[in-house]
């Protein structure tokens, strides 16, 4: 619990961090909760580990990256329960990073070389890429997500192809991203996938606030954290973008 | 002449090749030292290896070898085993943490008379080291996430170590029974001695089973997975501040090194040397003598201030060191770089519970100070940032302070600081 959890508190689900928690992506949840608190808005973080029930009534669902075998276990758990899909269809906001994005797609090829069905929330499918993409990633986002460049660190071996119903999160300025057509991530309704670790929302405060605005229905007051500005400047420069 | 030696196929030539390569390697080491380039160990090892790729096997032959590997505590435990085993005879060891094959060659070249060798081995190089040295004992400490952009997934590392265990039937494997990744790696050993290291080691509470991928709750002592992988019954165990030996004796550890994890390291070291005939009563007093390991836990003067220097390279290591600084209550400086040897990605900082620093005065420094500062800001810890560690020290409140640094930052501070 954080701030003033009440009827208006934002409920954030951290989905299967024990399976999809290899790359620090739980930090996205910490960032959202703190940015709400700093504006006097309450939040409640619900952490759901494997074997536990995913509630269908959260406002935001966060999934992270994970190891190949754990990814297969995670998708099985989520498919059996069905509640994440229900929540997304109801209009909850979902941010899924790396392996998290892959399992929300229609299919992905696992470490076993076999194609597995995903949850189908994103019209994307993922296949192995010849060489693992590791390094700084910079993306110019779709205007719906603001004009601030997205910075992050990617570490994945999947090539993600977009189908007709999904659009990219943005255009790659540095790094690999999806590995197809110079684009990164996927957006479909209020479900967003990306390869940006860092964590993504720690490095990209405007993107974090965009997600919160989607949930609260109002633009949030500006918030200045000088260390975040310093980090962004440094990382964008390291990627050769500024 | 050199080319002829390398290409030589005559059966009696192996010993001569080792000797020649060793001699030239030593020459290179001497040159490096004389030219002021460094301690000379690694370059000597590299030269010897370039001349004879089996030089390690030649140097190890006839010696009793212990290999120590795992994610955290390698250098410390190697130092403990070396100290304890010196009860039995002279020991060669790569005590400075140069844990790849060139470092092993250099360590063995430096002590030709030593009957025993205790070698710290990088997890990804255990296969080569074991193949060449035919160890009597392999010590498996723990496995957790480390430099995922360089080393890869921990599951992959566990599978590689498991293969080494299978390929080393002559070795007794001494292994941490509390760590599912280690248990998976050590399980197929012909002879295995399980050690329960007690608490203090971070696992993230739960882990995905190395065998089947399902969730294992390791917060319970007797963890078990539905697939059958479970915590084995330990022969040795740490309980509070004592170790219970395989014959049931209970000995107070009373170490000079701080931190609960070092109780576990000491118990593993005692179990390892017991396989070579050094009884716990002889081993423990020697292990207690270890008070500083290649600068870790040591005192330094930086920017005119006395600091205790602690090394942390990955989430588990940071978790351990945060417990130490939390207990001391001193002002804290955290220094973070992200060079190749550290791993370029620092996302894992968000898996470390820095929230526990709330209430302490914290400054951050290093080439990636901004990453750490943002992490602490969101953990609601008051933080001041200055990339230069010497300047940053001056921003802390007066008195001695604790410094936690990751690998290259730690090395840099040892150069900058005065002992």
């Amino acid at each position: 619990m954080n701030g003033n959890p009440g009827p208006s508190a934002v409920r954030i689900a951290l989905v299967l961090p024990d399976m999809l928690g290899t790359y620090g992506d739980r930090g996205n949840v910490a960032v959202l909760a703190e940015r709400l608190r700093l504006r006097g808005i309450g939040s409640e973080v619900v952490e759901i580990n494997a074997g536990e029930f995913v509630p269908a009534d959260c406002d935001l669902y966060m999934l992270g990256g994970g190891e190949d075998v754990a990814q297969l276990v995670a998708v099985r758990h989520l498919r059996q329960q069905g509640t994440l899909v229900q929540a997304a269809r109801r209009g909850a906001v979902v941010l899924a990073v790396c392996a998290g994005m892959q399992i929300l797609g229609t299919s992905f090829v696992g470490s076993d070389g076999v194609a597995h069905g995903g949850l189908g929330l994103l019209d994307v499918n993922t296949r192995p890429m010849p060489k693992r993409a590791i390094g700084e990633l910079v993306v110019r986002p779709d205007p719906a997500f603001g004009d601030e460049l997205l910075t992050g660190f990617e570490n994945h071996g999947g090539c993600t192809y977009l189908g007709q119903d999904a659009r990219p999160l943005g255009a790659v300025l540095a790094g690999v991203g999806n590995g197809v057509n110079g684009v990164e991530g996927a957006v479909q309704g209020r479900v967003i996938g990306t390869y940006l670790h860092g964590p993504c929302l720690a490095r990209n405060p405007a993107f974090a606030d965009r997600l919160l605005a989607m949930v609260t229905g109002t633009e949030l007051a500006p918030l200045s954290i000088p260390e975040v500005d310093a980090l962004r400047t440094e990382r964008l420069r390291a990627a050769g973008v500024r | 002449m050199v080319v002829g030696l390398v290409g030589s196929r005559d059966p009696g030539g192996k010993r001569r090749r080792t000797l020649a390569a060793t001699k030239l390697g030593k020459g290179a080491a001497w040159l490096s030292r004389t030219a002021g380039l460094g301690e000379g160990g690694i370059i000597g090892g590299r030269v010897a290896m370039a001349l004879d790729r089996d030089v390690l096997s030649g140097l190890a032959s006839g010696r009793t070898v212990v290999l120590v590997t795992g994610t955290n505590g390698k250098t410390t435990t190697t130092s403990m085993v070396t100290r304890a085993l010196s009860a039995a005879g002279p020991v060669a060891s790569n005590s400075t943490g140069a844990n790849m094959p060139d470092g092993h060659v250099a360590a063995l070249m430096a002590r030709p008379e030593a009957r025993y060798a205790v070698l710290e081995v990088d997890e990804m190089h255990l296969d080569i080291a074991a193949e060449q040295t035919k160890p009597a004992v392999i010590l498996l400490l723990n496995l957790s996430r480390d430099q995922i952009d360089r080393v890869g997934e921990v599951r992959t590392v566990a599978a590689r170590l498991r293969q080494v265990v299978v390929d080393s039937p002559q070795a007794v494997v001494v292994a941490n029974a509390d760590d599912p990744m280690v248990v998976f790696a050590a399980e197929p050993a012909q002879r295995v001695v399980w050690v329960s290291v007690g608490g203090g080691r971070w696992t993230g509470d739960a882990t995905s089973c190395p065998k089947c991928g399902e969730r294992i709750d390791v917060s319970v002592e007797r963890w078990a997975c539905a697939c059958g992988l479970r915590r084995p019954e330990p022969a040795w165990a740490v309980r509070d501040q004592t170790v219970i030996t395989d014959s049931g004796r209970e000995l107070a550890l009373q170490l000079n090194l701080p931190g609960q994890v070092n109780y576990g390291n000491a118990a593993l070291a005692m179990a390892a040397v017991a396989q070579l005939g050094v009884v716990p009563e002889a081993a423990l007093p020697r292990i207690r003598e270890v008070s500083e390991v290649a600068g870790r836990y040591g005192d330094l003067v930086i920017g005119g201030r006395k600091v205790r220097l602690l090394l942390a390279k990955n989430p588990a290591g940071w978790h351990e060191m945060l417990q130490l600084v939390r207990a001391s209550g001193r002002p804290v400086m955290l220094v973070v770089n992200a060079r190749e040897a550290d791993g370029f990605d620092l996302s894992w900082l968000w898996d470390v519970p820095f929230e526990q620093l709330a209430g302490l005065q914290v400054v951050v420094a290093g080439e990636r100070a901004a990453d750490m500062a943002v992490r602490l800001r969101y953990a609601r810890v008051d933080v001041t940032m200055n990339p230069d560690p010497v300047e940053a020290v001056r921003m802390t409140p007066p008195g001695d302070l604790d410094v936690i640094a990751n690998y290259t930052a730690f090395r840099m501070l040892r150069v900058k600081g005065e002992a």
Side-chain angles (χ1 to χ4, degrees):
Chain A
M1 294 273 186
N2 203 345
N4 309 301
S8 64
V10 176
R11 294 190 79 206
I12 306 169
L14 174 57
V15 181
L16 302 180
D18 50 347
M19 297 288 142
L20 302 171
T22 311
Y23 295 86
D25 299 309
R26 74 161 52 234
N28 289 328
V29 173
V31 168
L32 289 174
E34 182 64 3
R35 294 186 76 80
L36 286 167
R37 190 191 69 88
L38 290 167
R39 274 98 165 212
I41 304 171
S43 66
E44 184 190 348
V45 174
V46 185
E47 179 169 332
I48 304 116
N49 286 299
E52 293 169 356
F53 190 72
V54 181
D57 59 351
C58 290
D59 302 302
L60 262 160
Y61 291 80
M62 311 293 285
L63 291 81
E67 301 193 346
D68 293 344
V69 178
Q71 178 185 25
L72 297 178
V73 175
V75 74
R76 203 173 65 230
H77 278 276
L78 294 174
R79 196 183 299 109
Q80 273 167 4
Q81 295 192 3
T83 39
L84 176 62
V85 174
Q86 284 168 27
R89 300 242 156 94
R90 168 180 57 74
V93 173
V94 181
L95 177 67
V97 183
C98 202
M101 165 167 73
Q102 296 175 1
I103 65 172
L104 295 194
T106 51
S107 77
F108 61 95
V109 176
S111 55
D112 48 8
V114 176
H116 297 267
L119 298 183
L121 290 176
L122 289 171
D123 185 12
V124 304
N125 71 82
T126 301
R127 286 172 245 161
M129 55 170 57
K131 183 170 175 282
R132 206 171 165 84
I134 303 177
E136 293 286 333
L137 174 59
V138 181
V139 177
R140 181 177 303 288
D142 180 303
F145 294 95
D147 53 8
E148 197 177 87
L149 294 183
L150 301 175
T151 153
F153 193 95
E154 62 181 326
N155 186 351
H156 60 99
C159 226
T160 297
Y161 297 81
L162 302 189
Q164 283 188 342
D165 295 336
R167 66 179 206 272
L169 174 61
V172 174
L173 300 186
V176 176
N178 291 359
V180 190
N181 299 331
V183 300
E184 203 293 306
V187 180
Q188 190 168 336
R190 286 154 74 92
V191 179
I192 301 154
T194 180
Y195 278 115
L196 294 160
H197 298 291
C200 175
L201 301 185
R203 288 206 194 177
N204 301 294
F207 184 46
D209 286 351
R210 190 73 226 118
L211 299 184
L212 292 175
M214 287 166 73
V215 170
T216 60
T218 53
E219 292 299 324
L220 300 172
L223 190 63
S224 167
I225 303 179
E227 290 83 359
V228 174
D229 298 337
L231 175 63
R232 286 183 58 76
T233 307
E234 179 194 299
R235 289 297 94 213
L236 288 169
R237 194 173 293 147
V241 171
R242 268 178 194 169
Chain B
M1 172 197 150
V2 169
V3 173
L5 279 171
V6 174
S8 167
R9 282 282 175 271
D10 72 299
K14 176 168 169 158
R15 178 122 206 103
R16 285 206 305 280
R17 273 202 308 282
T18 304
L19 280 172
T22 304
K23 208 165 232 170
L24 286 163
K26 279 190 169 166
W30 176 83
L31 275 173
S32 164
R33 273 195 307 273
T34 312
L37 294 175
E39 289 171 35
I42 300 288
I43 186 73
R46 273 190 200 152
V47 167
M49 283 184 77
L51 295 169
D52 174 6
R53 65 190 168 77
D54 290 329
V55 69
L56 183 54
S57 134
L59 285 164
S61 112
R63 309 199 215 211
T64 303
V65 176
V66 180
L67 300 182
V68 181
T69 198
T71 307
N72 286 316
K74 288 189 286 285
T75 309
T76 302
T77 310
T78 297
S79 172
M80 289 175 169
V81 173
T82 302
R83 203 70 72 91
L85 197 54
S86 63
V91 184
S93 180
N94 53 338
S95 53
T96 58
N99 62 14
M100 308 226 189
D102 46 5
H104 303 146
V105 168
L108 296 180
M109 268 168 36
R111 299 290 304 271
E113 84 294 355
R115 250 187 77 197
Y116 295 98
V118 180
L119 299 176
E120 168 185 340
V121 188
D122 173 75
E123 303 89 285
M124 301 309 276
H125 291 85
L126 187 70
D127 45 4
I128 301 167
E131 188 198 312
Q132 299 247 323
T133 67
K134 299 281 177 260
V137 178
I138 296 175
L139 187 43
L140 300 179
L141 303 173
N142 52 73
L143 286 174
S144 65
R145 234 186 310 154
D146 188 18
Q147 296 182 40
I148 215 158
D149 53 331
R150 179 181 79 91
V151 178
E153 300 183 347
V154 60
R155 175 187 309 279
T156 314
V157 180
R160 274 183 75 151
L161 298 189
R162 184 179 165 101
Q163 189 56 49
V164 178
V165 164
V166 169
D167 294 338
S168 308
Q170 82 289 345
V172 180
V173 177
V174 175
N176 177 350
D178 300 327
D179 184 329
M181 294 291 161
V182 168
V183 170
F184 175 69
E187 206 185 25
Q190 304 255 340
R191 273 195 63 204
V192 58
V193 177
W194 297 110
V195 180
S196 171
V197 296
R201 192 65 79 177
W202 178 81
T203 55
D205 293 331
T207 189
S208 156
C209 175
K211 208 168 215 167
C212 72
E214 282 292 342
R215 177 179 202 254
I216 306 179
D217 183 356
V218 285
S219 65
V220 294
E221 192 190 63
R222 290 169 189 279
W223 55 263
C225 181
C227 75
L229 191 77
R230 55 171 50 243
R231 175 178 174 270
E233 202 49 52
W236 298 64
V238 171
R239 189 180 296 156
D240 300 323
Q241 303 181 14
T242 67
V243 59
I244 300 159
T245 71
D246 56 347
S247 57
R249 276 164 297 166
E250 194 163 340
L251 303 171
L253 283 161
Q254 294 168 337
L255 303 180
N256 271 309
L257 289 175
Q260 208 185 350
V261 289
N262 282 321
Y263 296 142
N265 292 337
L268 285 157
M270 288 167 74
V273 298
Q275 310 312 312
L276 304 174
V278 179
V279 297
E281 287 77 5
L284 186 53
R286 288 167 180 272
I287 287 171
R288 285 191 191 121
E289 289 166 15
V290 178
S291 59
E292 181 188 323
V293 185
R296 296 155 171 85
Y297 309 107
D299 288 330
L300 272 184
V301 175
I302 296 172
R305 299 276 296 281
K306 191 172 151 197
V307 309
R308 175 170 67 162
L309 186 56
L310 303 166
L311 172 70
K313 298 185 279 196
N314 46 50
W318 278 93
H319 181 78
E320 290 155 16
M321 294 309 144
L322 287 180
Q323 289 178 320
L324 280 187
V325 304
R326 181 76 244 179
S328 84
R330 296 189 229 177
V332 184
M333 177 166 79
L334 309 177
V335 193
V336 182
N337 290 350
R339 298 187 183 192
E340 187 171 7
D342 303 306
F344 296 122
D345 181 23
L346 289 176
S347 301
W348 54 266
L349 287 177
W350 292 77
D351 287 328
V352 178
F354 285 102
E355 286 76 7
Q356 57 188 289
L357 292 181
L360 294 180
Q361 304 264 1
V362 182
V363 298
V364 299
E367 292 160 359
R368 296 294 290 269
D371 285 83
M372 184 61 96
V374 170
R375 171 69 188 99
L376 293 177
R377 250 316 150 228
Y378 278 112
R380 291 152 77 173
V381 176
D382 261 334
V383 59
T384 325
M385 170 167 96
N386 190 319
D388 180 349
V390 177
E391 305 242 322
V393 162
R394 301 206 173 103
M395 300 163 88
T396 62
D400 296 351
L401 69 150
D402 281 335
V403 175
I404 313 179
N406 70 348
Y407 187 62
T408 66
F410 176 91
R411 284 197 317 198
M412 195 182 72
L413 288 172
R414 286 194 72 202
V415 173
K416 281 188 189 232
E418 306 145 37

